[in-house]
Amino acid sequence: MERVLETRKLLDVEELGVERNASADRAVRAFAAWAEARIVKWIQFPRGVLLFLMVPGDLESGHFYLLDRPKRTFYELNIEGDARWGGYRQDEFEELTESLGLKRLAERPRDLRWLAQA
């Protein structure tokens, strides 16, 4: 079954109470606190940051997010078509990242904005 990536704008950095010119590290940590999740994977590129967050204690709660650095906006990345509905395990991160081209999106977040159109 083909997996399709669905994106949705979540919020801007300022909505987390973090000033617009704060570092990406500070913005990501504030986002994880807002989501009440722990950062499991964090891959940085000059224009974007790919995140994999999990709820503490839930081994099948992994979810993908992306920070568009120039726009200072966080996006949720949902995988449709796999009928999982409940999150992913940490050991699935690499395969999903590769098969869905998530690193490419983090390198070129303007492509993500085009997908999201939110």
Side-chain angles (χ1 to χ4, degrees), residues 21-37:
N21 62 351
S23 70
D25 290 1
R26 186 158 178 223
V28 166
R29 291 184 197 290
F31 179 74
W34 173 83
E36 298 179 358

Side-chain angles (χ1 to χ4, degrees), residues 64-77:
F64 292 94
Y65 300 93
L66 192 142
L67 169 61
D68 179 334
R69 285 179 161 195
K71 293 290 185 182
R72 308 294 288 170
T73 301
F74 284 94
Y75 292 86
E76 176 181 30
L77 308 177

Side-chain angles (χ1 to χ4, degrees), residues 7 13 17-18 21 28 33 37 39-40 42 54 103 106:
T7 64
V13 168
V18 176
N21 62 351
V28 166
I39 302 166
V40 177
W42 176 339
M54 297 183 85
K103 289 180 186 176

Side-chain angles (χ1 to χ4, degrees), residues 85-116:
W85 313 115
Y88 299 91
R89 296 183 316 272
Q90 185 174 348
D91 65 352
E92 295 175 294
F93 174 83
E94 291 300 328
E95 188 274 324
L96 290 169
T97 299
E98 186 66 32
S99 68
L100 294 166
L102 300 182
K103 289 180 186 176
R104 251 186 338 271
L105 280 177
E107 289 176 307
R108 297 175 47 108
R110 68 179 172 267
D111 294 344
L112 180 68
R113 291 191 302 267
W114 177 81
L115 287 171

